[in-house]
Short mmCIF file of all heavy atoms in Angstrom, two decimals:
data_model
loop_
_atom_site.label_atom_id
_atom_site.label_comp_id
_atom_site.label_asym_id
_atom_site.label_seq_id
_atom_site.Cartn_x
_atom_site.Cartn_y
_atom_site.Cartn_z
N ALA B 118 47.90 -10.92 -32.56
CA ALA B 118 47.01 -11.98 -32.11
C ALA B 118 47.80 -13.09 -31.40
O ALA B 118 47.41 -13.57 -30.34
CB ALA B 118 46.24 -12.56 -33.30
N ILE B 119 48.92 -13.46 -31.99
CA ILE B 119 49.72 -14.54 -31.41
C ILE B 119 50.25 -14.14 -30.04
O ILE B 119 50.29 -14.95 -29.11
CB ILE B 119 50.89 -14.90 -32.35
CG1 ILE B 119 50.34 -15.54 -33.62
CG2 ILE B 119 51.86 -15.83 -31.66
CD1 ILE B 119 51.37 -15.74 -34.70
N GLN B 120 50.62 -12.88 -29.91
CA GLN B 120 51.12 -12.41 -28.62
C GLN B 120 50.08 -12.59 -27.53
O GLN B 120 50.38 -13.07 -26.44
CB GLN B 120 51.52 -10.94 -28.72
CG GLN B 120 52.78 -10.75 -29.54
CD GLN B 120 53.08 -9.30 -29.77
OE1 GLN B 120 52.21 -8.45 -29.64
NE2 GLN B 120 54.32 -9.02 -30.11
N GLU B 121 48.85 -12.20 -27.84
CA GLU B 121 47.78 -12.36 -26.86
C GLU B 121 47.61 -13.83 -26.49
O GLU B 121 47.43 -14.19 -25.33
CB GLU B 121 46.46 -11.80 -27.42
CG GLU B 121 46.38 -10.28 -27.42
CD GLU B 121 46.51 -9.69 -26.01
OE1 GLU B 121 46.21 -10.39 -25.02
OE2 GLU B 121 46.93 -8.52 -25.89
N GLN B 122 47.68 -14.67 -27.51
CA GLN B 122 47.56 -16.10 -27.33
C GLN B 122 48.64 -16.63 -26.39
O GLN B 122 48.37 -17.35 -25.43
CB GLN B 122 47.65 -16.76 -28.72
CG GLN B 122 47.82 -18.26 -28.73
CD GLN B 122 46.56 -18.94 -28.20
OE1 GLN B 122 45.48 -18.38 -28.23
NE2 GLN B 122 46.73 -20.17 -27.70
N VAL B 123 49.87 -16.26 -26.66
CA VAL B 123 51.01 -16.71 -25.84
C VAL B 123 50.84 -16.24 -24.40
O VAL B 123 51.02 -17.01 -23.45
CB VAL B 123 52.35 -16.17 -26.40
CG1 VAL B 123 53.48 -16.35 -25.41
CG2 VAL B 123 52.68 -16.84 -27.73
N ALA B 124 50.47 -14.99 -24.23
CA ALA B 124 50.29 -14.44 -22.89
C ALA B 124 49.21 -15.22 -22.15
O ALA B 124 49.37 -15.55 -20.97
CB ALA B 124 49.91 -12.97 -22.98
N ARG B 125 48.14 -15.52 -22.84
CA ARG B 125 47.05 -16.26 -22.21
C ARG B 125 47.54 -17.63 -21.73
O ARG B 125 47.28 -18.03 -20.61
CB ARG B 125 45.89 -16.41 -23.20
CG ARG B 125 44.52 -16.23 -22.56
CD ARG B 125 43.41 -16.27 -23.58
NE ARG B 125 43.54 -15.26 -24.61
CZ ARG B 125 43.61 -15.52 -25.93
NH1 ARG B 125 43.55 -16.75 -26.37
NH2 ARG B 125 43.73 -14.54 -26.80
N GLU B 126 48.28 -18.30 -22.59
CA GLU B 126 48.79 -19.63 -22.23
C GLU B 126 49.63 -19.60 -20.96
O GLU B 126 49.67 -20.55 -20.20
CB GLU B 126 49.64 -20.20 -23.37
CG GLU B 126 48.82 -20.69 -24.56
CD GLU B 126 49.71 -20.98 -25.77
OE1 GLU B 126 50.94 -20.90 -25.63
OE2 GLU B 126 49.15 -21.28 -26.84
N HIS B 127 50.33 -18.50 -20.77
CA HIS B 127 51.20 -18.42 -19.59
C HIS B 127 50.52 -17.72 -18.42
O HIS B 127 51.13 -17.48 -17.39
CB HIS B 127 52.50 -17.69 -19.95
CG HIS B 127 53.41 -18.50 -20.81
ND1 HIS B 127 54.52 -19.13 -20.31
CD2 HIS B 127 53.36 -18.81 -22.12
CE1 HIS B 127 55.13 -19.78 -21.30
NE2 HIS B 127 54.44 -19.59 -22.42
N GLY B 128 49.26 -17.34 -18.62
CA GLY B 128 48.53 -16.69 -17.54
C GLY B 128 48.92 -15.24 -17.31
O GLY B 128 48.65 -14.69 -16.25
N TYR B 129 49.59 -14.64 -18.27
CA TYR B 129 49.97 -13.23 -18.13
C TYR B 129 48.88 -12.32 -18.67
O TYR B 129 48.16 -12.68 -19.61
CB TYR B 129 51.25 -12.96 -18.94
CG TYR B 129 52.55 -13.25 -18.22
CD1 TYR B 129 52.86 -14.54 -17.78
CD2 TYR B 129 53.48 -12.25 -18.02
CE1 TYR B 129 54.06 -14.80 -17.15
CE2 TYR B 129 54.69 -12.51 -17.38
CZ TYR B 129 54.99 -13.79 -16.95
OH TYR B 129 56.17 -14.04 -16.33
N ARG B 130 48.78 -11.13 -18.10
CA ARG B 130 47.96 -10.09 -18.72
C ARG B 130 48.89 -9.04 -19.31
O ARG B 130 49.59 -8.32 -18.59
CB ARG B 130 47.03 -9.45 -17.69
CG ARG B 130 46.33 -8.22 -18.27
CD ARG B 130 44.91 -8.07 -17.80
NE ARG B 130 44.82 -8.01 -16.36
CZ ARG B 130 43.76 -8.43 -15.66
NH1 ARG B 130 42.72 -8.96 -16.29
NH2 ARG B 130 43.75 -8.34 -14.37
N LEU B 131 48.89 -8.92 -20.62
CA LEU B 131 49.83 -8.03 -21.31
C LEU B 131 49.51 -6.56 -21.13
O LEU B 131 48.34 -6.16 -21.14
CB LEU B 131 49.80 -8.32 -22.82
CG LEU B 131 50.47 -9.60 -23.28
CD1 LEU B 131 50.62 -9.56 -24.79
CD2 LEU B 131 51.83 -9.74 -22.63
N THR B 132 50.55 -5.77 -20.97
CA THR B 132 50.36 -4.33 -21.00
C THR B 132 50.96 -3.75 -22.28
O THR B 132 50.39 -2.89 -22.92
CB THR B 132 51.02 -3.65 -19.80
OG1 THR B 132 52.41 -4.02 -19.77
CG2 THR B 132 50.37 -4.11 -18.50
N HIS B 133 52.12 -4.24 -22.64
CA HIS B 133 52.72 -3.76 -23.88
C HIS B 133 53.76 -4.77 -24.33
O HIS B 133 54.02 -5.76 -23.64
CB HIS B 133 53.36 -2.40 -23.69
CG HIS B 133 54.44 -2.37 -22.65
ND1 HIS B 133 54.18 -2.50 -21.30
CD2 HIS B 133 55.78 -2.26 -22.76
CE1 HIS B 133 55.31 -2.44 -20.62
NE2 HIS B 133 56.31 -2.30 -21.48
N HIS B 134 54.36 -4.51 -25.46
CA HIS B 134 55.37 -5.44 -25.91
C HIS B 134 56.35 -4.73 -26.81
O HIS B 134 56.20 -3.53 -27.10
CB HIS B 134 54.74 -6.59 -26.67
CG HIS B 134 54.21 -6.19 -28.01
ND1 HIS B 134 52.92 -5.78 -28.21
CD2 HIS B 134 54.83 -6.10 -29.21
CE1 HIS B 134 52.76 -5.47 -29.47
NE2 HIS B 134 53.90 -5.64 -30.11
N ARG B 135 57.30 -5.49 -27.25
CA ARG B 135 58.36 -4.93 -28.03
C ARG B 135 58.82 -6.00 -28.98
O ARG B 135 59.05 -7.14 -28.58
CB ARG B 135 59.48 -4.60 -27.05
CG ARG B 135 60.67 -4.05 -27.65
CD ARG B 135 61.32 -3.23 -26.57
NE ARG B 135 62.35 -4.01 -25.89
CZ ARG B 135 63.30 -3.43 -25.14
NH1 ARG B 135 63.30 -2.11 -24.98
NH2 ARG B 135 64.20 -4.15 -24.56
N MET B 136 58.92 -5.66 -30.23
CA MET B 136 59.39 -6.65 -31.18
C MET B 136 60.30 -5.94 -32.15
O MET B 136 59.91 -4.95 -32.76
CB MET B 136 58.21 -7.25 -31.92
CG MET B 136 58.62 -8.21 -32.99
SD MET B 136 57.21 -9.23 -33.43
CE MET B 136 57.83 -9.96 -34.93
N GLU B 137 61.49 -6.43 -32.26
CA GLU B 137 62.46 -5.80 -33.14
C GLU B 137 63.16 -6.85 -33.98
O GLU B 137 63.61 -7.86 -33.47
CB GLU B 137 63.51 -5.04 -32.31
CG GLU B 137 62.91 -3.80 -31.65
CD GLU B 137 63.53 -3.52 -30.30
OE1 GLU B 137 64.68 -3.93 -30.08
OE2 GLU B 137 62.82 -2.93 -29.46
N LEU B 138 63.21 -6.59 -35.27
CA LEU B 138 63.89 -7.50 -36.18
C LEU B 138 65.17 -6.83 -36.63
O LEU B 138 65.16 -5.69 -37.07
CB LEU B 138 63.01 -7.79 -37.40
CG LEU B 138 61.58 -8.26 -37.08
CD1 LEU B 138 60.85 -8.62 -38.38
CD2 LEU B 138 61.59 -9.45 -36.14
N TYR B 139 66.28 -7.53 -36.50
CA TYR B 139 67.57 -6.97 -36.87
C TYR B 139 68.10 -7.68 -38.10
O TYR B 139 68.00 -8.90 -38.21
CB TYR B 139 68.58 -7.12 -35.72
CG TYR B 139 68.21 -6.29 -34.51
CD1 TYR B 139 67.39 -6.81 -33.52
CD2 TYR B 139 68.68 -4.99 -34.39
CE1 TYR B 139 67.04 -6.04 -32.41
CE2 TYR B 139 68.34 -4.22 -33.29
CZ TYR B 139 67.52 -4.75 -32.30
OH TYR B 139 67.18 -3.98 -31.22
N GLY B 140 68.67 -6.91 -39.00
CA GLY B 140 69.23 -7.52 -40.19
C GLY B 140 69.77 -6.46 -41.12
O GLY B 140 69.97 -5.32 -40.70
N LEU B 141 70.00 -6.84 -42.37
CA LEU B 141 70.54 -5.88 -43.33
C LEU B 141 69.40 -5.33 -44.18
O LEU B 141 68.58 -6.09 -44.70
CB LEU B 141 71.57 -6.57 -44.23
CG LEU B 141 72.88 -6.93 -43.50
CD1 LEU B 141 73.76 -7.78 -44.41
CD2 LEU B 141 73.62 -5.66 -43.08
N CYS B 142 69.39 -4.00 -44.33
CA CYS B 142 68.36 -3.38 -45.16
C CYS B 142 68.73 -3.56 -46.63
O CYS B 142 69.87 -3.90 -46.95
CB CYS B 142 68.23 -1.90 -44.81
SG CYS B 142 69.64 -0.91 -45.35
N PRO B 143 67.78 -3.33 -47.53
CA PRO B 143 68.03 -3.53 -48.95
C PRO B 143 69.28 -2.79 -49.46
O PRO B 143 70.08 -3.36 -50.19
CB PRO B 143 66.76 -2.98 -49.60
CG PRO B 143 65.70 -3.13 -48.57
CD PRO B 143 66.39 -2.94 -47.26
N GLN B 144 69.43 -1.54 -49.05
CA GLN B 144 70.59 -0.76 -49.50
C GLN B 144 71.90 -1.43 -49.10
O GLN B 144 72.80 -1.59 -49.90
CB GLN B 144 70.56 0.66 -48.93
CG GLN B 144 69.48 1.56 -49.54
CD GLN B 144 68.10 1.25 -48.95
OE1 GLN B 144 67.97 1.13 -47.74
NE2 GLN B 144 67.09 1.10 -49.80
N CYS B 145 71.99 -1.79 -47.82
CA CYS B 145 73.24 -2.38 -47.33
C CYS B 145 73.47 -3.75 -47.96
O CYS B 145 74.60 -4.14 -48.21
CB CYS B 145 73.23 -2.47 -45.82
SG CYS B 145 73.33 -0.84 -45.03
N LEU B 146 72.39 -4.46 -48.22
CA LEU B 146 72.51 -5.75 -48.87
C LEU B 146 73.11 -5.60 -50.26
O LEU B 146 74.04 -6.33 -50.63
CB LEU B 146 71.13 -6.41 -49.02
CG LEU B 146 70.70 -7.35 -47.90
CD1 LEU B 146 69.30 -7.87 -48.18
CD2 LEU B 146 71.68 -8.51 -47.79
N SER B 147 72.61 -4.63 -51.03
CA SER B 147 73.10 -4.48 -52.39
C SER B 147 74.52 -3.93 -52.39
O SER B 147 75.31 -4.24 -53.26
CB SER B 147 72.18 -3.54 -53.19
OG SER B 147 72.17 -2.25 -52.61
N ARG B 148 74.84 -3.14 -51.40
CA ARG B 148 76.19 -2.61 -51.32
C ARG B 148 77.20 -3.72 -51.04
O ARG B 148 78.32 -3.71 -51.50
CB ARG B 148 76.29 -1.55 -50.23
CG ARG B 148 77.48 -0.64 -50.39
CD ARG B 148 77.52 0.42 -49.30
NE ARG B 148 76.21 1.04 -49.13
CZ ARG B 148 75.62 1.22 -47.95
NH1 ARG B 148 76.23 0.86 -46.84
NH2 ARG B 148 74.44 1.80 -47.87
#
Side-chain angles (χ1 to χ4, degrees):
Chain B
I119 292 171
Q120 289 173 341
E121 285 300 336
Q122 168 67 23
V123 167
R125 220 175 302 123
E126 285 168 6
H127 288 257
Y129 274 61
R130 171 143 57 209
L131 286 193
T132 56
H133 60 289
H134 72 268
R135 178 154 95 162
M136 176 162 167
E137 290 145 26
L138 308 184
Y139 294 88
L141 290 172
C142 71
Q144 289 78 46
C145 290
L146 267 178
S147 62
R148 199 179 314 132

